[in-house]
Amino acid sequence: KHWFVGEENFAATQTCEGVVDRPGGSLNPVMVQAAPQSGCSHLLHATAQALLRRQSGAVLRIAESDVVGRDGPPPGWDDALAQALALVIDDLHAFVGHETWSHHLGVMVDAALNLGVQVLLGGHVSLDDVPPSRLRDVLRTATVVRLTSPSRPTLLAYARWRCSQKNLLLHDVHLAQLVEGGTEAWRSVDGALERLSLSPGPP
């Protein structure tokens, strides 16, 4: 409901739609190479939710916050993977420089691919920046799509779209001021519109 397709994310969106339509097919694995504030986590989450709605099977997700204080995956991860439809790995940039976790993820991705489980990874890192590791080896055949930060015109179109969803009537002049006043990020527009929707109207 909240994913807006613009020029900056069109290719990544199309690729993820292909994953949802045919998980474990020719688009496996997929690596989303994302700029900061480009909506990578949102896209991965939306793709996982779409897989759960349209396909049968579990979707396993790993992000940086899930592994704080852990030296490796929890026991039984391989059994869970064998029953899964997809493995989604977010915050890839946080794992690639960690020798132990880079190895563990390489083993997990390799196992998933051998089982026909769809693998979707994303983060602020390119494949060329991944140090030599098991993870880099299994990602050599990945379909790589780029996700860039939204431009001002895209954010303006997004602000119009979100206004229609929120039943807010704002002139383009005001929307332009709203976009110009924030950073070039989806969240800054959402935050500004949320503050406007909560502000009291004229007496």
Side-chain angles (χ1 to χ4, degrees), residues 134-171:
R134 182 76 176 270
L135 181 60
R136 182 182 177 119
D137 290 342
V138 296
L139 290 180
R140 289 185 189 280
T141 60
T143 298
V144 178
V145 289
R146 287 170 178 78
L147 196 60
T148 59
S149 301
S151 64
R152 295 294 170 104
T154 295
L155 286 178
L156 183 58
Y158 175 66
R160 286 194 205 102
W161 181 68
R162 291 295 282 143
C163 279
S164 67
Q165 290 182 321
K166 290 175 167 288
N167 293 319
L168 291 173
L169 295 175
L170 292 175
H171 194 278

Short mmCIF file of all heavy atoms in Angstrom, two decimals, residues 134-171:
data_model
loop_
_atom_site.label_atom_id
_atom_site.label_comp_id
_atom_site.label_asym_id
_atom_site.label_seq_id
_atom_site.Cartn_x
_atom_site.Cartn_y
_atom_site.Cartn_z
N ARG A 134 32.87 -16.67 1.76
CA ARG A 134 31.86 -17.62 1.26
C ARG A 134 30.66 -16.86 0.69
O ARG A 134 30.08 -17.26 -0.32
CB ARG A 134 31.43 -18.53 2.41
CG ARG A 134 30.41 -19.62 2.04
CD ARG A 134 31.07 -20.75 1.29
NE ARG A 134 30.14 -21.83 1.02
CZ ARG A 134 29.94 -22.87 1.84
NH1 ARG A 134 30.61 -22.95 2.97
NH2 ARG A 134 29.11 -23.82 1.50
N LEU A 135 30.31 -15.76 1.35
CA LEU A 135 29.17 -14.96 0.89
C LEU A 135 29.43 -14.39 -0.50
O LEU A 135 28.57 -14.45 -1.38
CB LEU A 135 28.89 -13.83 1.88
CG LEU A 135 27.72 -12.92 1.56
CD1 LEU A 135 26.41 -13.70 1.49
CD2 LEU A 135 27.60 -11.79 2.58
N ARG A 136 30.62 -13.85 -0.71
CA ARG A 136 30.94 -13.29 -2.03
C ARG A 136 30.89 -14.37 -3.10
O ARG A 136 30.39 -14.14 -4.22
CB ARG A 136 32.31 -12.63 -2.00
CG ARG A 136 32.67 -11.98 -3.34
CD ARG A 136 34.05 -11.37 -3.31
NE ARG A 136 34.38 -10.83 -4.61
CZ ARG A 136 34.64 -9.56 -4.87
NH1 ARG A 136 34.60 -8.67 -3.90
NH2 ARG A 136 34.96 -9.16 -6.07
N ASP A 137 31.38 -15.55 -2.77
CA ASP A 137 31.38 -16.65 -3.74
C ASP A 137 29.97 -17.00 -4.21
O ASP A 137 29.74 -17.20 -5.40
CB ASP A 137 32.05 -17.89 -3.14
CG ASP A 137 33.55 -17.71 -2.95
OD1 ASP A 137 34.11 -16.81 -3.58
OD2 ASP A 137 34.14 -18.47 -2.16
N VAL A 138 29.01 -17.06 -3.26
CA VAL A 138 27.66 -17.48 -3.64
C VAL A 138 26.87 -16.35 -4.29
O VAL A 138 25.84 -16.60 -4.93
CB VAL A 138 26.88 -18.05 -2.44
CG1 VAL A 138 27.54 -19.30 -1.91
CG2 VAL A 138 26.70 -17.02 -1.35
N LEU A 139 27.37 -15.12 -4.16
CA LEU A 139 26.67 -13.99 -4.78
C LEU A 139 27.17 -13.66 -6.17
O LEU A 139 26.66 -12.74 -6.81
CB LEU A 139 26.78 -12.75 -3.88
CG LEU A 139 26.01 -12.79 -2.56
CD1 LEU A 139 26.22 -11.50 -1.78
CD2 LEU A 139 24.53 -13.03 -2.80
N ARG A 140 28.16 -14.39 -6.65
CA ARG A 140 28.71 -14.09 -7.97
C ARG A 140 27.66 -14.19 -9.08
O ARG A 140 27.76 -13.52 -10.10
CB ARG A 140 29.87 -15.04 -8.29
CG ARG A 140 31.12 -14.77 -7.46
CD ARG A 140 32.27 -15.66 -7.91
NE ARG A 140 33.40 -15.58 -7.01
CZ ARG A 140 34.31 -14.61 -7.00
NH1 ARG A 140 34.19 -13.63 -7.87
NH2 ARG A 140 35.31 -14.62 -6.15
N THR A 141 26.67 -15.06 -8.90
CA THR A 141 25.64 -15.25 -9.93
C THR A 141 24.37 -14.46 -9.64
O THR A 141 23.35 -14.65 -10.30
CB THR A 141 25.28 -16.75 -10.03
OG1 THR A 141 24.78 -17.20 -8.76
CG2 THR A 141 26.49 -17.58 -10.42
N ALA A 142 24.43 -13.55 -8.65
CA ALA A 142 23.23 -12.81 -8.25
C ALA A 142 22.78 -11.83 -9.34
O ALA A 142 23.59 -11.26 -10.07
CB ALA A 142 23.48 -12.06 -6.95
N THR A 143 21.47 -11.66 -9.41
CA THR A 143 20.90 -10.57 -10.20
C THR A 143 21.00 -9.31 -9.34
O THR A 143 20.42 -9.26 -8.25
CB THR A 143 19.42 -10.85 -10.53
OG1 THR A 143 19.33 -12.02 -11.33
CG2 THR A 143 18.80 -9.68 -11.26
N VAL A 144 21.77 -8.33 -9.78
CA VAL A 144 22.00 -7.11 -8.99
C VAL A 144 21.16 -5.98 -9.55
O VAL A 144 21.20 -5.70 -10.76
CB VAL A 144 23.49 -6.73 -9.00
CG1 VAL A 144 23.72 -5.44 -8.21
CG2 VAL A 144 24.35 -7.85 -8.42
N VAL A 145 20.36 -5.35 -8.69
CA VAL A 145 19.58 -4.19 -9.09
C VAL A 145 19.95 -3.03 -8.18
O VAL A 145 20.24 -3.21 -7.00
CB VAL A 145 18.06 -4.46 -9.03
CG1 VAL A 145 17.65 -5.39 -10.14
CG2 VAL A 145 17.64 -5.00 -7.69
N ARG A 146 19.93 -1.82 -8.73
CA ARG A 146 20.31 -0.64 -7.96
C ARG A 146 19.09 0.16 -7.54
O ARG A 146 18.13 0.28 -8.30
CB ARG A 146 21.27 0.22 -8.77
CG ARG A 146 22.66 -0.40 -8.88
CD ARG A 146 23.56 0.31 -9.87
NE ARG A 146 24.88 -0.29 -9.90
CZ ARG A 146 25.18 -1.42 -10.52
NH1 ARG A 146 24.25 -2.08 -11.16
NH2 ARG A 146 26.41 -1.91 -10.49
N LEU A 147 19.18 0.67 -6.35
CA LEU A 147 18.11 1.48 -5.77
C LEU A 147 18.75 2.79 -5.34
O LEU A 147 19.64 2.81 -4.49
CB LEU A 147 17.52 0.75 -4.57
CG LEU A 147 16.18 1.18 -4.00
CD1 LEU A 147 15.08 1.04 -5.05
CD2 LEU A 147 15.84 0.32 -2.79
N THR A 148 18.34 3.91 -5.96
CA THR A 148 18.95 5.19 -5.66
C THR A 148 17.99 6.07 -4.85
O THR A 148 16.79 5.81 -4.81
CB THR A 148 19.36 5.93 -6.95
OG1 THR A 148 18.21 6.13 -7.78
CG2 THR A 148 20.40 5.13 -7.71
N SER A 149 18.55 7.08 -4.22
CA SER A 149 17.74 8.00 -3.42
C SER A 149 16.78 8.77 -4.32
O SER A 149 17.13 9.10 -5.46
CB SER A 149 18.63 8.97 -2.66
OG SER A 149 19.53 8.28 -1.82
N PRO A 150 15.58 9.08 -3.84
CA PRO A 150 14.59 9.77 -4.68
C PRO A 150 14.99 11.21 -4.96
O PRO A 150 15.55 11.90 -4.11
CB PRO A 150 13.31 9.71 -3.83
CG PRO A 150 13.80 9.58 -2.42
CD PRO A 150 15.05 8.77 -2.49
N SER A 151 14.69 11.65 -6.17
CA SER A 151 14.94 13.03 -6.56
C SER A 151 13.80 13.92 -6.04
O SER A 151 12.77 13.43 -5.58
CB SER A 151 15.01 13.14 -8.08
OG SER A 151 13.75 12.80 -8.65
N ARG A 152 13.99 15.23 -6.11
CA ARG A 152 12.94 16.16 -5.67
C ARG A 152 11.64 15.97 -6.47
O ARG A 152 10.56 15.97 -5.89
CB ARG A 152 13.43 17.61 -5.76
CG ARG A 152 14.59 17.95 -4.83
CD ARG A 152 14.16 17.86 -3.37
NE ARG A 152 15.28 17.95 -2.45
CZ ARG A 152 15.57 19.03 -1.75
NH1 ARG A 152 14.86 20.13 -1.86
NH2 ARG A 152 16.59 19.01 -0.90
N PRO A 153 11.70 15.87 -7.82
CA PRO A 153 10.44 15.64 -8.56
C PRO A 153 9.73 14.35 -8.14
O PRO A 153 8.50 14.32 -8.05
CB PRO A 153 10.90 15.57 -10.03
CG PRO A 153 12.17 16.37 -10.06
CD PRO A 153 12.83 16.11 -8.74
N THR A 154 10.49 13.29 -7.88
CA THR A 154 9.87 12.04 -7.44
C THR A 154 9.24 12.22 -6.06
O THR A 154 8.13 11.73 -5.80
CB THR A 154 10.92 10.91 -7.39
OG1 THR A 154 11.39 10.66 -8.72
CG2 THR A 154 10.32 9.63 -6.84
N LEU A 155 9.92 12.93 -5.17
CA LEU A 155 9.36 13.17 -3.84
C LEU A 155 8.10 14.03 -3.92
O LEU A 155 7.16 13.83 -3.13
CB LEU A 155 10.40 13.84 -2.94
CG LEU A 155 11.52 12.94 -2.43
CD1 LEU A 155 12.51 13.76 -1.59
CD2 LEU A 155 10.98 11.78 -1.61
N LEU A 156 8.06 14.96 -4.86
CA LEU A 156 6.86 15.78 -5.03
C LEU A 156 5.69 14.91 -5.50
O LEU A 156 4.57 15.03 -4.98
CB LEU A 156 7.13 16.90 -6.03
CG LEU A 156 5.99 17.90 -6.27
CD1 LEU A 156 5.58 18.58 -4.97
CD2 LEU A 156 6.40 18.94 -7.31
N ALA A 157 5.95 14.02 -6.45
CA ALA A 157 4.91 13.10 -6.91
C ALA A 157 4.47 12.17 -5.77
O ALA A 157 3.28 11.88 -5.62
CB ALA A 157 5.42 12.29 -8.10
N TYR A 158 5.42 11.74 -4.97
CA TYR A 158 5.11 10.89 -3.82
C TYR A 158 4.25 11.65 -2.80
O TYR A 158 3.29 11.10 -2.25
CB TYR A 158 6.41 10.43 -3.16
CG TYR A 158 6.24 9.64 -1.89
CD1 TYR A 158 5.64 8.38 -1.91
CD2 TYR A 158 6.68 10.14 -0.66
CE1 TYR A 158 5.49 7.65 -0.75
CE2 TYR A 158 6.52 9.41 0.50
CZ TYR A 158 5.93 8.17 0.45
OH TYR A 158 5.77 7.44 1.61
N ALA A 159 4.58 12.92 -2.56
CA ALA A 159 3.80 13.72 -1.62
C ALA A 159 2.36 13.87 -2.09
O ALA A 159 1.41 13.77 -1.28
CB ALA A 159 4.45 15.10 -1.44
N ARG A 160 2.15 14.07 -3.40
CA ARG A 160 0.79 14.15 -3.94
C ARG A 160 0.04 12.84 -3.69
O ARG A 160 -1.13 12.84 -3.30
CB ARG A 160 0.83 14.42 -5.45
CG ARG A 160 1.21 15.80 -5.85
CD ARG A 160 0.89 16.04 -7.34
NE ARG A 160 1.74 17.08 -7.89
CZ ARG A 160 2.80 16.86 -8.64
NH1 ARG A 160 3.17 15.63 -8.94
NH2 ARG A 160 3.51 17.88 -9.10
N TRP A 161 0.72 11.74 -3.96
CA TRP A 161 0.12 10.41 -3.81
C TRP A 161 -0.26 10.15 -2.35
O TRP A 161 -1.35 9.66 -2.07
CB TRP A 161 1.13 9.38 -4.31
CG TRP A 161 0.71 7.95 -4.25
CD1 TRP A 161 -0.28 7.35 -4.99
CD2 TRP A 161 1.29 6.93 -3.44
NE1 TRP A 161 -0.34 6.01 -4.67
CE2 TRP A 161 0.60 5.72 -3.73
CE3 TRP A 161 2.32 6.91 -2.50
CZ2 TRP A 161 0.92 4.52 -3.12
CZ3 TRP A 161 2.64 5.71 -1.89
CH2 TRP A 161 1.94 4.53 -2.19
N ARG A 162 0.62 10.49 -1.42
CA ARG A 162 0.34 10.28 -0.01
C ARG A 162 -0.78 11.21 0.48
O ARG A 162 -1.58 10.83 1.34
CB ARG A 162 1.60 10.51 0.83
CG ARG A 162 2.65 9.46 0.63
CD ARG A 162 2.22 8.08 1.13
NE ARG A 162 2.33 8.01 2.58
CZ ARG A 162 1.47 7.36 3.36
NH1 ARG A 162 0.42 6.77 2.83
NH2 ARG A 162 1.65 7.32 4.66
N CYS A 163 -0.87 12.42 -0.07
CA CYS A 163 -1.96 13.33 0.29
C CYS A 163 -3.31 12.73 -0.10
O CYS A 163 -4.28 12.82 0.66
CB CYS A 163 -1.78 14.68 -0.39
SG CYS A 163 -0.62 15.77 0.45
N SER A 164 -3.36 12.11 -1.28
CA SER A 164 -4.62 11.50 -1.70
C SER A 164 -4.99 10.34 -0.79
O SER A 164 -6.16 10.13 -0.49
CB SER A 164 -4.53 11.02 -3.16
OG SER A 164 -3.62 9.94 -3.29
N GLN A 165 -4.00 9.60 -0.30
CA GLN A 165 -4.28 8.50 0.63
C GLN A 165 -4.75 9.00 1.98
O GLN A 165 -5.57 8.36 2.63
CB GLN A 165 -3.02 7.64 0.83
CG GLN A 165 -2.63 6.82 -0.38
CD GLN A 165 -1.41 5.96 -0.10
OE1 GLN A 165 -0.48 6.38 0.58
NE2 GLN A 165 -1.42 4.75 -0.62
N LYS A 166 -4.23 10.15 2.39
CA LYS A 166 -4.56 10.69 3.71
C LYS A 166 -5.73 11.69 3.66
O LYS A 166 -6.07 12.28 4.67
CB LYS A 166 -3.33 11.41 4.30
CG LYS A 166 -2.20 10.49 4.71
CD LYS A 166 -1.01 11.32 5.15
CE LYS A 166 0.03 10.47 5.86
NZ LYS A 166 -0.38 10.03 7.18
N ASN A 167 -6.31 11.89 2.46
CA ASN A 167 -7.39 12.86 2.28
C ASN A 167 -6.96 14.27 2.70
O ASN A 167 -7.72 15.01 3.34
CB ASN A 167 -8.65 12.45 3.05
CG ASN A 167 -9.27 11.19 2.47
OD1 ASN A 167 -9.33 11.04 1.25
ND2 ASN A 167 -9.72 10.30 3.33
N LEU A 168 -5.72 14.63 2.35
CA LEU A 168 -5.22 15.98 2.61
C LEU A 168 -5.26 16.78 1.32
O LEU A 168 -4.86 16.29 0.26
CB LEU A 168 -3.77 15.92 3.12
CG LEU A 168 -3.53 15.34 4.51
CD1 LEU A 168 -2.03 15.21 4.76
CD2 LEU A 168 -4.16 16.23 5.58
N LEU A 169 -5.78 17.99 1.41
CA LEU A 169 -5.83 18.86 0.24
C LEU A 169 -4.74 19.92 0.36
O LEU A 169 -4.86 20.86 1.14
CB LEU A 169 -7.21 19.53 0.14
CG LEU A 169 -8.38 18.58 -0.12
CD1 LEU A 169 -9.70 19.34 -0.08
CD2 LEU A 169 -8.22 17.87 -1.46
N LEU A 170 -3.67 19.73 -0.40
CA LEU A 170 -2.56 20.68 -0.38
C LEU A 170 -2.21 21.09 -1.80
O LEU A 170 -2.15 20.25 -2.71
CB LEU A 170 -1.32 20.06 0.29
CG LEU A 170 -1.40 19.79 1.79
CD1 LEU A 170 -0.14 19.08 2.26
CD2 LEU A 170 -1.58 21.08 2.57
N HIS A 171 -1.98 22.37 -1.98
CA HIS A 171 -1.59 22.89 -3.30
C HIS A 171 -0.15 22.45 -3.58
O HIS A 171 0.65 22.23 -2.67
CB HIS A 171 -1.70 24.41 -3.30
CG HIS A 171 -1.64 25.01 -4.67
ND1 HIS A 171 -0.45 25.24 -5.32
CD2 HIS A 171 -2.63 25.39 -5.52
CE1 HIS A 171 -0.70 25.77 -6.51
NE2 HIS A 171 -2.01 25.87 -6.66
#
